[in-house]
Amino acid sequence: MATYVLIPGAAAGPWYWHLVGAELRRRGHDVVAVDLPCEDDSAGLAEYADTVVDAIGGRTGVVLVAHSFGGFTAPLVCDRVPVDLLVLVQAQIPAPGESPAQWTADTGYEQARREQDERDGRAPGDDDTDLFFNDTPPDLVAEAQRHTRGQSATPFAEPWPLAAWPDVPTKFLLARDDRFFPAAYMRRIVRDRLGITPDELPGDHCLMLGHPAELADRLEAYRTGA
């Protein structure tokens, strides 16, 4: 039995992982979906990492899975507690000293988004729902919108404090239909910052909602080396 620890992205909570969590529990694993203090203006990256470490407690056999903005927190956790495997799911990959606010400029995000918007026929002022949920079933989109939370700006201003990526086996799982973090853009970042080729699944930015079984299967394959 493994312990899967699931970190959400910005303005999100444990609910976003509920379908994947159910799939992993069916396979006999312990699952901890972390509730980050995203609405607390006194909480920064250190406090986010504290929350994950506290949620892990004395558990062992940890597979740490981070989505989107969770990519800034997960490596900090790996630097503090034993983690067998780190899996980034369409997640941001920080560089030493880089704040989340700087990440978009440093990685060329605005240009990548403009190019993606042109491909999608999007215009300024269009509804942002399809940026995140263009491949998610409508009933889950409606439920996700009810579970959207506030997001403090505090952690976005803080430099990422590690001098290097932690010495933990790391996998990257890319969502090839994501309009928010376009696929070509993310492939480049993964190559440049981690030196690996990402694996890919169909799905939008929140592929854990649209493809939970496929995501759980891939996590298990990573864990077992299959």
Side-chain angles (χ1 to χ4, degrees), residues 83-123:
V83 172
D84 290 351
L85 176 66
L86 170 59
V87 183
L88 302 172
V89 178
Q90 203 64 351
Q92 293 174 275
I93 303 169
E98 180 181 63
S99 72
Q102 292 170 325
W103 185 87
T104 54
D106 291 349
T107 60
Y109 175 70
E110 295 299 334
Q111 179 179 346
R113 267 293 311 283
R114 281 195 301 271
E115 293 170 353
Q116 184 66 46
D117 286 349
E118 289 174 3
R119 289 191 290 270
D120 296 335
R122 288 180 49 81

Side-chain angles (χ1 to χ4, degrees), residues 122-147:
R122 288 180 49 81
D126 284 356
D127 183 5
D128 283 347
T129 301
D130 68 346
L131 279 178
F132 300 95
F133 303 114
N134 52 292
D135 187 57
T136 299
D139 59 327
L140 287 172
V141 174
E143 194 170 355
Q145 291 173 327
R146 291 194 294 272
H147 282 87

Side-chain angles (χ1 to χ4, degrees), residues 1 8 25 46 51 66 79 95 97 116 128 137 149 162 167 179-180 208:
M1 182 184 80
R25 290 187 183 97
T51 301
D79 199 47
Q116 184 66 46
D128 283 347
R149 301 166 63 177
L162 297 187
D167 186 18
R179 296 174 178 174
F180 183 63
M208 71 280 290

Side-chain angles (χ1 to χ4, degrees), residues 8-96:
W15 176 87
Y16 278 79
W17 288 111
H18 76 285
L19 296 176
V20 172
E23 292 284 345
L24 294 170
R25 290 187 183 97
R26 255 194 299 276
R27 292 159 168 79
H29 301 298
D30 186 16
V31 177
V32 179
V34 182
D35 188 4
L36 294 177
C38 63
E39 296 174 294
D40 184 353
D41 286 333
S42 69
L45 293 174
E47 287 73 26
Y48 283 32
D50 288 344
T51 301
V52 180
V53 170
D54 290 346
I56 293 171
R59 294 176 173 88
T60 58
V62 172
V63 178
L64 190 61
V65 184
H67 176 241
S68 196
F69 183 49
F72 269 83
T73 298
L76 306 183
V77 177
C78 294
D79 199 47
R80 293 176 52 184
V81 299
V83 172
D84 290 351
L85 176 66
L86 170 59
V87 183
L88 302 172
V89 178
Q90 203 64 351
Q92 293 174 275
I93 303 169

